[in-house]
Amino acid sequence: MLKDATAEQLIQALEDILQKGYHFTDQTSLALVHGIQHPTRKVLTSLPDQLKMTERQKQILELICAGHTAASIAKQLFISRRTVEGHWRKLFEKTGTHNVVGLVSFATQKDLLKRPS
């Protein structure tokens, strides 16, 4: 959220977070798309060892990038929400990101998402 957000925008953001687990403003979405289309950093062709992920972390990353909430992921994978949140924290640590937008951007830039067959 921007510092000058209106009360209505803040309420909408909170409702989005409660319903979907995330909230993107138009500015955030545009910045994300621009960052993907015009990366300022060199994209690695392979991941360093510290970025290697377990199969479970890869599953959770896919579901996060598909827009699922922690509760939804937990239900689909038959694990607790706290376990999912632990995996999220580990993914944030491994990728050096701090939020879902950064994680999705990282996954897209590093081509970590499965392609539909």
Side-chain angles (χ1 to χ4, degrees):
M1 295 296 309
L2 298 175
K3 291 188 291 185
D4 61 350
T6 65
E8 292 82 16
Q9 290 170 324
L10 183 57
I11 290 168
Q12 182 61 52
L14 292 172
E15 288 174 354
D16 286 351
I17 291 167
L18 287 172
Q19 290 175 6
K20 301 184 288 187
Y22 63 90
H23 171 76
F24 294 140
T25 63
D26 289 341
Q27 294 89 347
T28 304
S29 297
L30 288 172
L32 180 60
V33 169
H34 184 270
I36 291 168
Q37 292 175 340
H38 308 286
T40 56
R41 285 183 249 151
K42 194 184 270 188
V43 176
L44 300 174
T45 55
S46 64
L47 295 175
D49 285 340
Q50 73 266 23
L51 293 179
K52 300 293 184 206
M53 290 181 234
T54 66
E55 285 304 312
R56 180 63 88 186
Q57 288 170 343
K58 290 175 188 174
Q59 281 180 309
I60 290 174
L61 179 61
E62 289 279 337
L63 292 168
I64 291 169
C65 292
H68 292 276
T69 64
S72 170
I73 294 170
K75 188 174 181 178
Q76 287 183 51
L77 299 180
F78 304 102
I79 58 178
S80 77
R81 181 181 175 150
R82 287 181 54 94
T83 300
V84 172
E85 291 167 352
H87 285 297
W88 279 33
R89 281 190 298 279
K90 201 58 148 167
L91 287 167
F92 289 146
E93 288 173 18
K94 285 183 175 190
T95 61
T97 58
H98 303 288
N99 55 43
V100 172
V101 173
L103 191 57
V104 171
S105 177
F106 181 91
T108 304
Q109 288 179 3
K110 304 294 185 213
D111 201 26
L112 299 178
L113 304 177
K114 291 180 185 171
R115 302 273 186 233
S117 25

